[in-house]
Amino acid sequence: MEKLTSLLFLLCCGLCFGQHTGPGPCHLEQDNKEWIEQFKKADSLDIKIDMVMNKLLADSDYFFYNPAPTNLDDRSSFGPIPCTHKCTIRFGIVYGKREGMVLDLTKNPELEDVLYELVPENIDYIDLNEYEENDIYQHVTDKRSGVVIHTENSEVRRMIRNVIKRKGKKKVKEDPDESEN
């Protein structure tokens, strides 16, 4: 009886003080899967555009209130793994034959003005590139789904180029001493 009691005591201690099993996956991954399924079911360009806009704004709001961790190797805290930008769907816009950019409002908040110009009259079509785990030919860095908006509208192209020019000027004004070093 004494051996059984000590065995149960050790088992309880092992369960109580045992090592943490590790956090689970980011909750954005499940949200993204559901969003992609809804996006595939959307039958009109209007609905797809609204879905893209809402997802872009929701993701940027999420990372505003829940910033991505700087050190992902730090396992000192318990709980779920904080979501990073790699958990999100990658959005991009192609606005010329060889011109395109990633639509990420956390890195480029000035693109929010351009988003409001993305209406059905200004968009030619939208592509969904869905990540599939069993695709052996997919590159390692492409382990997330993406949505690409294609437009040939001159007004949208001009707005994007102006945003890029303004962003380039801000970098030069913010870092004048770096060119001297």
Side-chain angles (χ1 to χ4, degrees):
M1 184 72 180
E2 187 176 304
K3 289 182 182 182
L4 181 63
T5 306
S6 61
L7 181 65
L8 286 174
F9 176 73
L10 289 174
L11 182 63
C12 287
C13 288
L15 290 175
C16 293
F17 299 111
Q19 214 172 13
H20 183 56
T21 58
C26 171
H27 75 279
L28 277 181
E29 292 176 7
Q30 183 62 33
D31 292 345
N32 290 341
K33 288 178 185 177
E34 293 171 5
W35 185 88
I36 288 171
E37 291 303 316
Q38 290 177 352
F39 187 81
K40 286 196 251 182
K41 292 176 185 176
D43 55 353
S44 71
L45 191 59
D46 285 336
I47 295 171
K48 288 181 178 182
I49 293 169
D50 286 340
M51 289 182 71
V52 168
M53 298 295 211
N54 291 334
K55 183 67 174 160
L56 273 168
L57 293 172
D59 285 352
S60 67
D61 285 346
Y62 176 82
F63 286 111
F64 178 76
Y65 293 110
N66 305 302
T70 55
N71 184 7
L72 290 176
D73 295 329
D74 182 19
R75 302 281 185 214
S76 61
S77 64
F78 297 118
I81 295 175
C83 298
T84 64
H85 294 283
K86 293 180 181 180
C87 301
T88 63
I89 297 172
R90 185 179 313 157
F91 291 95
I93 185 166
V94 175
Y95 56 94
K97 286 185 179 181
R98 295 183 181 175
E99 296 176 302
M101 68 183 312
V102 175
L103 294 174
D104 187 356
L105 295 179
T106 55
K107 293 180 182 174
N108 300 315
E110 59 273 357
L111 289 174
E112 190 169 352
D113 295 336
V114 175
L115 290 182
Y116 296 114
E117 289 298 317
L118 300 178
V119 293
E121 296 82 31
N122 296 343
I123 295 176
D124 298 329
Y125 60 97
I126 299 177
D127 280 336
L128 171 66
N129 302 320
E130 191 173 3
Y131 168 69
E132 297 177 16
E133 290 185 30
N134 59 358
D135 187 1
I136 61 172
Y137 299 107
Q138 194 162 16
H139 195 267
V140 174
T141 59
D142 296 332
K143 292 202 177 235
R144 60 182 177 161
S145 299
V147 174
V148 181
I149 301 170
H150 296 269
T151 182
E152 290 292 327
N153 185 284
S154 59
E155 182 69 26
V156 174
R157 285 196 310 226
R158 187 167 37 84
M159 284 186 74
I160 292 172
R161 289 180 183 141
N162 287 339
V163 166
I164 292 170
K165 284 180 188 176
R166 278 187 272 145
K167 187 175 178 180
K169 288 180 182 178
K170 282 183 184 178
K171 284 184 179 179
V172 171
K173 288 180 181 177
E174 289 174 0
D175 300 329
D177 296 330
E178 284 187 11
S179 60
E180 294 175 5
N181 292 338

